[in-house]
Amino acid sequence: IVGNSKDVHYSTNETGVHLSPEEFHKKCNDEDAILIDVRNSYEYAIGHFDGAVNPNTRCFSRFSEWIKEARESGMFKNKEKVLMYCTGGIRCEKASIEMKKQLQNEATVYQLKGGIHRYLEEYGAKGSFKGKNFVFDKRIIQPHEPGTEVVGKCCLCHAPYDLVVDTRRCKKCRLLILVCDSCDEERNQQYWCKDHVYLDPSIYKADPRRMQNLIEKIGELENKLESPSLRGRRNRSKRLIVQKNLDEMRNVQKITMANEKLVAT
């Protein structure tokens, strides 16, 4: 989950200030604070703290890059406190070190001790965390109180839904996505995450402009494939990746055009 080396050691002086659930709860609504969810997008989708920023990361290794982009965009401007949280507090140990390093004393970095898990044990549905807590074991979701608010939505029909099913993943990258039972049955496990939705032939019928965007992307990849920067044995793996993406887009274009002909006849 954390993607760290087994030999890496750090002291509490390097990490953010550890806050108990009670302390964290009190600081959540401070006007000079910004609340950051350290987890991945599919975890945030089914539950998160009210008002928390979603970095939209697909894996934890991308969090450092997100901090840099967020800082350059001015996200932390005029903020004296950065409050961070994750599932059980483990990822925040490394994430808070990176946050402190990049912010360079521009703000005080705090982290929720024990993570969402400990917070929910203390506050349950009465606290600032809305929805359910994704966990990395057979339970998938931490036990919760009856009537807990559903904040997740099916990525296809947008109906309230927060049941995480391991087989419901993006056809391209295998990322977990929220797909309700009815959409799953209708699509027969043919669905994509938001980053790869352009591979879904059904979206082009509803919006013709998307087809023009697809044609432009195909042209860009064709030009990239012919670029001198991808020539030679050293760039063979990169060339194969571009070719694979190009083939996928061409296939989507072919399917869409075939469907249009069927409708016309």
Side-chain angles (χ1 to χ4, degrees), residues 136-247:
F136 291 88
D137 57 35
K138 292 181 180 180
R139 299 174 299 168
I140 300 182
I141 294 176
Q142 179 182 343
H144 51 278
E145 298 177 9
T148 298
E149 180 181 359
V150 176
V151 301
K153 293 182 179 180
C154 171
C155 69
L156 296 172
C157 69
H158 307 297
Y161 186 81
D162 63 4
L163 181 61
V164 179
V165 181
D166 186 61
T167 57
R168 298 177 188 178
R169 297 173 177 269
C170 173
K171 189 178 178 183
K172 166 73 173 177
C173 66
R174 307 303 298 161
L175 184 75
L176 280 169
I177 52 179
L178 292 177
V179 180
C180 69
D181 295 341
S182 58
C183 285
D184 177 59
E185 183 177 353
E186 181 182 336
R187 287 297 196 96
N188 192 28
Q189 296 189 343
Q190 300 291 308
Y191 27 72
W192 294 259
C193 69
K194 64 179 182 179
D195 289 338
H196 299 117
V197 70
Y198 63 86
L199 294 174
D200 181 0
S202 67
I203 67 173
Y204 299 100
K205 181 179 179 181
D207 187 357
R209 291 174 299 179
R210 289 179 179 267
M211 177 53 70
Q212 182 58 40
N213 291 334
L214 179 66
I215 294 173
E216 292 175 359
K217 285 184 178 180
I218 290 175
E220 291 173 2
L221 288 181
E222 288 175 337
N223 292 333
K224 189 174 183 179
L225 202 58
E226 297 299 323
S227 171
S229 62
L230 286 183
R231 294 174 184 172
R233 292 183 179 180
R234 291 184 179 181
N235 296 310
R236 184 175 182 274
S237 58
K238 293 181 180 179
R239 196 162 58 247
L240 289 174
I241 292 174
V242 174
Q243 184 64 62
K244 183 179 179 181
N245 290 335
L246 179 58
D247 290 343

Side-chain angles (χ1 to χ4, degrees), residues 18-73:
H18 290 70
L19 298 178
S20 67
E22 295 84 359
E23 294 170 325
F24 192 86
H25 183 77
K26 291 178 181 179
K27 290 185 181 293
C28 274
N29 295 319
D30 288 356
E31 292 184 1
D32 60 349
I34 181 171
L35 188 56
I36 308 293
D37 193 316
V38 175
R39 305 170 303 156
N40 299 316
S41 57
Y42 56 87
E43 299 171 76
Y44 183 96
I46 66 169
H48 49 265
F49 275 91
D50 194 25
V53 174
N54 177 16
N56 277 308
T57 52
R58 301 167 65 86
C59 57
F60 183 68
S61 61
R62 298 187 182 183
F63 189 72
S64 177
E65 182 181 349
W66 176 83
I67 297 176
K68 180 181 178 181
E69 294 173 352
R71 183 169 179 264
E72 291 175 349
S73 71

